[in-house]
Amino acid sequence: GIYMEESIYNILEEITGEDLRKEGNVNLFDSGRLDSLGIIELIVAIEDNFNIKLDPAIVTRKDIETPNKIIEYIQTHIERKM
């Protein structure tokens, strides 16, 4: 829920240096905010924060191209774990 969204935005802020809370649908790749290194940082931070395992080989850019998609993607993973 809200806690998770907040955490995702905090992680994104650490990686991109920007607060993207008002830009939930911005494409992080097209806008140059995430690159291949950023993806790895993002995945590691998400794994640490939410105690889930994400396989970088399976995570596609489509899955995580906007903050909202990242949130959705994590939600799905957390639910699967339960």
Side-chain angles (χ1 to χ4, degrees):
I2 295 301
Y3 162 76
M4 190 198 72
E5 283 182 33
E6 199 44 39
S7 303
I8 297 283
Y9 281 112
N10 288 339
I11 290 169
L12 282 171
E13 196 167 348
E14 272 175 41
I15 295 171
T16 66
E18 289 181 69
D19 178 355
L20 298 168
R21 283 171 184 79
K22 302 245 183 314
E23 298 186 68
N25 293 313
V26 70
N27 188 305
L28 298 166
F29 300 106
D30 293 351
S31 64
R33 290 179 172 99
L34 267 192
D35 53 19
S36 44
L37 186 68
I39 294 176
I40 302 299
E41 283 183 53
L42 180 67
I43 289 173
V44 169
I46 287 170
E47 288 184 333
D48 289 350
N49 259 278
F50 300 107
N51 197 18
I52 54 178
K53 280 265 53 51
L54 295 177
D55 183 348
I58 295 172
V59 180
T60 68
R61 280 187 166 209
K62 270 247 163 304
D63 292 326
I64 57 167
E65 65 188 0
T66 71
N68 284 339
K69 282 193 176 178
I70 296 172
I71 290 163
E72 233 170 90
Y73 190 71
I74 305 309
Q75 207 119 39
T76 314
H77 264 76
I78 292 173
E79 279 159 17
R80 266 194 224 133
K81 243 188 83 171
M82 286 172 168

